[in-house]
Amino acid sequence: MPQKTDYDAVVVGSGPNGLSAAVRLAQHGLKVLVLEAKSTIGGGTRTQELTEPGFLHDICAAVIPTTAGSPYLSSLNLEDYGLEFIHPEIPYAHPLDNGEAAVAWRSLNKTAENLGVDGNAYRKLYHHFSDNWDALSEDLFGTLRIPKHPLLMARFGWYGALSAKFLGNALFEHPHSKALLAGCAAHSIMPLTIAFSASFGLVLASSAHAVGWPIAKGGTHSVTNALASLLKELGGEIETEHPVSSLKDIPTAKTILFDLTPRQITEIIENKAPDSYLEKLKDFKYGPGVFKVDWALSEPVPWTNEHCRKAGTLHLGGTFDEISRAEQDVWDGNHSRSPYVLVSQPSLFDESRAPKGKHTLWAYCHVPNGSSLDMTDVIEDQIERFAPGFKDTIISKNTMNAPQFQSYNANYIGGDINGGAQFFKQLFGRPVLKWDPYHIPGTSMYICSSSTPPGGGVHGMCGYHSAESVLKNEFRISSDKN
Ligand SMILES: Cc1cc2nc3c(=O)[nH]c(=O)nc-3n(C[C@H](O)[C@H](O)[C@H](O)COP(=O)(O)OP(=O)(O)OC[C@H]3O[C@@H](n4cnc5c(N)ncnc54)[C@H](O)[C@@H]3O)c2cc1C
């Protein structure tokens, strides 16, 4: 006789993946509880006054093309629950030393027209992917299986399997096209010389033309607040300030889903799974960490290049080769003195982020895992390089190093923001290479965090696929349409 349990499913962790998993299960009438260690929900999507009253800063994720392009989140009508996307006029720009900037417009053609000799190559590379984004995202955000769109995926794999450096050199001559590729590929937090680093560049650059690089009105917490409202409407429950350090901390349930990374999971489940599996979880590799600065500013950043003043996101660091060197340094365990810096300037497009006339700025660079070195000066110098006078606009700032990120969110092991390094082996076999990477073998427990495919980002697809696996294995419900 099956034992009576308090819940059908308990989800540990309320990041975008935990909440997406919970919503998916609740959509099928299951009784679901989400347990969150901290006093607020959201994981990597919280927004807070980090500097001064009235200045709202995204603590982690700020720019959310993967939310806009997520097959599951797009199906939920989250705008009915308060999520509003704001699209900056220019998705991203990449300033260079001579006052020029490479610019990715929402329009693929407009972008290509400004890339001189590389215009045709740029158009040819990206138009298949951006024109067919829905089909591409269905496979890219899908599970390990035969692709639903084999020709498109074969084309994607042909280019994506390369290193960004090889692809950039093979297709482009103009420093602007190469810089645009480097800026997108370096989101992978891997050297641009490693196989498959091009795939990150292709996905992000294509998404800029297909769905844009929006921010959320009021801050990224709107994404998880919307998911939480939907979950509650479906009868789900959320309990905050409920850290889970052992299975005893979890009410009885038919199944448990962890929105956590392998290191925490092995501690919580102890010896419940086969030794061979636990060994593989322990062998899971974490990637470099991040150092982040948030500023309250008296005025917008005085970028030399006027296009940079209209861009939501900026990639700093100079040419392809400079960024490639910087990312290699970090991968090798060193701190770059001229790092690749990701910048978001949301208050230019969303007046709810700062008092009238004032602004917020968000930036981070990659550092070796666990590093507590203060990179504030290096990041500010990198901004000043392309925006002389920037330092004079600073009212105040808040910084977070890699260990502080881990204290803020236990999933950020050593400051790794993606739930594990995303090199070839861990891109497909995440956290362990198997057809159903979500299921913990020999148990009714599952992993639903960004440590599973398709990895980091605010797309909720790890949660969605994990919930689908739960529905199929534990409740004999098969409903996957994505
Ligand atoms: C600085 C930074 C910038 C980023 N920028 C972007 C961006 O611009 N765009 C983008 O798409 N993504 C970005 N990301 C990545 C994105 O935030 C993550 O990929 C995403 O949040 C992962 O979601 P998740 O649900 O898997 O885990 P998380 O969002 O990490 O959620 C995990 C949750 O579990 C909770 N938890 C952990 N341990 C326990 C426990 N033992 N018991 C109970 N609860 C627990 C945590 O408190 C947390 O709330 C960024 C991340 C950082 C840190």
Side-chain angles (χ1 to χ4, degrees):
M1 267 261 297
Q3 281 190 334
K4 191 164 164 26
T5 54
D6 297 328
Y7 293 92
D8 291 318
V10 171
V11 180
V12 181
S14 68
N17 283 313
L19 289 172
S20 295
V23 167
R24 187 62 182 159
L25 298 175
Q27 281 178 320
H28 285 274
L30 302 192
K31 191 176 177 207
V32 185
L33 170 69
V34 177
L35 299 175
E36 167 56 47
K38 299 289 172 170
S39 58
T40 56
I41 62 155
T45 63
R46 298 187 187 100
T47 308
Q48 254 179 34
E49 284 176 344
L50 291 176
T51 53
E52 303 282 323
F55 289 80
L56 283 176
H57 303 273
D58 286 321
I59 303 171
C60 305
V63 186
I64 48 174
T66 56
T67 309
S70 160
Y72 183 54
L73 296 186
S74 315
S75 75
L76 295 177
N77 298 324
L78 292 179
E79 53 283 7
D80 293 347
Y81 300 86
L83 173 62
E84 193 179 322
F85 290 118
I86 297 177
H87 286 274
E89 184 181 343
I90 294 175
Y92 64 98
H94 191 124
L96 294 161
D97 279 331
N98 52 8
E100 291 178 10
V103 178
W105 299 86
R106 187 74 194 268
S107 155
L108 173 67
N109 281 330
K110 187 168 176 180
T111 308
E113 278 160 20
N114 287 295
L115 293 175
V117 285
D118 289 342
N120 275 340
Y122 185 91
R123 205 179 282 108
K124 227 171 126 188
L125 176 63
Y126 289 116
H127 89 88
H128 289 280
F129 307 137
S130 60
D131 291 356
N132 299 296
W133 176 261
D134 287 346
L136 184 71
S137 63
E138 203 181 359
D139 279 329
L140 286 178
F141 289 130
T143 50
L144 203 56
R145 56 163 189 222
I146 295 167
K148 290 187 178 172
H149 310 278
L151 286 181
L152 188 62
M153 278 308 281
R155 177 180 281 273
F156 183 83
W158 176 259
Y159 295 111
L162 301 171
S163 74
K165 185 155 195 165
F166 186 91
L167 182 68
N169 284 338
L171 294 188
F172 301 135
E173 286 174 40
H174 200 297
H176 286 202
S177 343
K178 292 188 181 195
L180 288 178
L181 178 62
C184 286
H187 282 249
S188 63
I189 326 189
M190 292 194 305
L192 305 188
T193 46
I194 280 191
F196 285 94
S197 53
S199 65
F200 291 84
L202 294 180
V203 173
L204 284 170
S206 308
S207 71
H209 303 306
V211 293
W213 281 24
I215 56 170
K217 186 170 182 190
T220 308
H221 69 171
S222 309
V223 177
T224 35
N225 285 347
L227 280 167
S229 300
L230 172 57
L231 177 64
K232 286 178 186 162
E233 189 178 287
L234 293 166
E237 297 169 39
I238 301 176
E239 207 174 300
T240 52
E241 298 189 68
H242 190 130
V244 170
S245 49
S246 98
L247 290 175
K248 293 193 199 93
D249 299 329
I250 302 175
T252 57
K254 292 192 182 101
T255 180
I256 298 167
L257 293 85
F258 295 107
D259 184 15
L260 311 179
T261 80
R263 187 166 306 171
Q264 300 132 283
I265 294 169
T266 50
E267 282 163 16
I268 293 171
I269 69 172
E270 295 178 335
N271 57 357
K272 292 285 181 300
D275 286 349
S276 57
Y277 177 80
L278 291 171
E279 282 310 313
K280 285 182 185 152
L281 283 193
K282 284 179 188 154
D283 208 31
F284 186 72
K285 300 282 182 295
Y286 291 91
V290 298
F291 183 94
K292 178 164 180 268
V293 192
D294 286 283
W295 295 269
L297 303 180
S298 58
E299 56 191 85
V301 180
W303 301 108
T304 305
N305 185 284
E306 61 173 308
H307 289 314
C308 295
R309 302 173 186 204
K310 297 178 190 152
T313 302
L314 294 115
H315 296 145
L316 312 187
T319 61
F320 188 107
D321 287 340
E322 284 177 87
I323 291 182
S324 182
R325 251 191 322 273
E327 290 303 285
Q328 185 68 52
D329 277 348
V330 176
W331 193 256
D332 293 342
N334 303 314
H335 295 87
S336 170
R337 300 312 298 165
S338 178
Y340 162 70
V341 178
L342 270 144
V343 178
S344 164
Q345 38 187 11
S347 57
L348 287 181
F349 314 97
D350 178 2
E351 56 186 25
S352 73
R353 302 292 188 102
K356 202 166 174 41
K358 305 280 190 293
H359 288 275
T360 59
L361 193 72
W362 166 113
Y364 70 86
C365 71
H366 303 146
V367 292
N369 190 284
S371 159
S372 52
L373 191 73
D374 187 340
M375 298 291 281
T376 311
D377 289 346
V378 178
I379 290 180
E380 288 184 349
D381 286 348
Q382 199 67 301
I383 299 177
E384 187 81 19
R385 173 178 166 192
F386 303 106
F390 160 68
K391 290 182 187 176
D392 300 333
T393 69
I394 299 172
I395 300 171
S396 66
K397 64 187 100 166
N398 180 71
T399 65
M400 280 171 86
N401 64 25
Q404 286 165 334
F405 265 108
Q406 186 170 345
S407 310
Y408 169 73
N409 178 347
N411 280 26
Y412 298 149
I413 309 285
D416 175 340
I417 66 175
N418 280 327
Q422 307 194 114
F423 55 87
F424 175 67
K425 184 171 156 234
Q426 291 192 175
L427 199 54
F428 298 103
R430 196 169 177 80
V432 169
L433 185 61
K434 57 209 265 292
W435 280 115
D436 181 352
Y438 308 95
H439 184 221
I440 299 176
T443 74
S444 300
M445 298 188 278
Y446 292 76
I447 309 178
C448 67
S449 70
S450 60
S451 303
T452 59
V458 182
H459 42 66
M461 292 306 294
C462 313
Y464 171 83
H465 291 304
S466 181
E468 286 299 318
S469 175
V470 167
L471 290 168
K472 187 161 147 254
N473 297 333
E474 309 295 330
F475 298 93
R476 304 287 162 227
I477 301 170
S478 187
S479 66
D480 187 6
K481 296 197 175 55
N482 284 293

